[in-house]
Amino acid sequence: MKKFAFTLAEVLITLGIIGIVAAMTLPSLITRNQNKALEAGLKKNYSIIQQAFEMYQAEHGETLKPEDIGIKKDANNLYNLIKPYFAIIHDCGTTYTKCMPNQGDNSYADRISSIYTTYNNKTLRLTLLDDGQFVLKDGSLILLENSSDATDRTRLVSVDVNGINKNPNRWGHDLFTFQLMHDGRILPMGAPNTTYIDKNTYCSQTSTDPYNGIGCTYYALTDKDYFNNLPR
């Protein structure tokens, strides 16, 4: 009986083909898995943020509203009021350079992030992320905005879903923002009636605005293809 076998050349050719196919498909598989993890992290943290405000309501018997902070709540700000309802492993305080370094001087106009960038990887301003930060048990970083302008009581809760030590560290990629509305709801930024809803400015691959990406949260939660189309 004759015995058939592959020659060494045939085996090497087959392995070479397998290697080429793997090299072509592996990066996309890795990226897809990373994006799935970011999407899951966003949904998880949105739930955590909502639960924190619900726990505040349960304890105090009233919904926390942006116009109440600093008026009914005296000198307290969003950081002091909502922090007790998160599972925190590290409190960064309200000094924004402690857990979130900036470059340039410390003036309000020059708070430029040395770590985070915008949706399309441009320079990002820190002024909507700098009123208190803390790290949760899963490593997520919560960043708060507590406007002191009497005519603009904007209260924002942002979250880096995989922590500041893991990339991409970009607004609309792993950094997402929510807004405390006047009826006490927490809405994803970019949703109707939130502050930053202009998609061409705040969730665009071409915008040069230093807040580009802040308005992406709504689309990240509602567009099933959102994470597959992130700019590089």
Side-chain angles (χ1 to χ4, degrees), residues 196-205 207 212 215 219 223:
Y196 299 92
I197 59 174
D198 183 357
K199 192 175 182 181
N200 291 329
T201 303
Y202 301 116
C203 189
S204 167
Q205 296 197 26
S207 174
N212 183 25
Y219 303 102
D223 182 355

Side-chain angles (χ1 to χ4, degrees), residues 163-208:
I164 199 168
N165 294 319
K166 291 184 179 180
N167 289 327
N169 284 343
R170 290 164 66 174
W171 232 334
H173 291 239
D174 58 347
L175 177 64
F176 298 95
T177 299
F178 301 86
Q179 183 169 355
L180 176 61
M181 306 301 289
H182 292 288
D183 59 4
R185 291 180 299 160
I186 302 295
L187 293 186
M189 190 63 76
N193 300 318
T194 57
T195 300
Y196 299 92
I197 59 174
D198 183 357
K199 192 175 182 181
N200 291 329
T201 303
Y202 301 116
C203 189
S204 167
Q205 296 197 26
T206 58
S207 174
T208 58

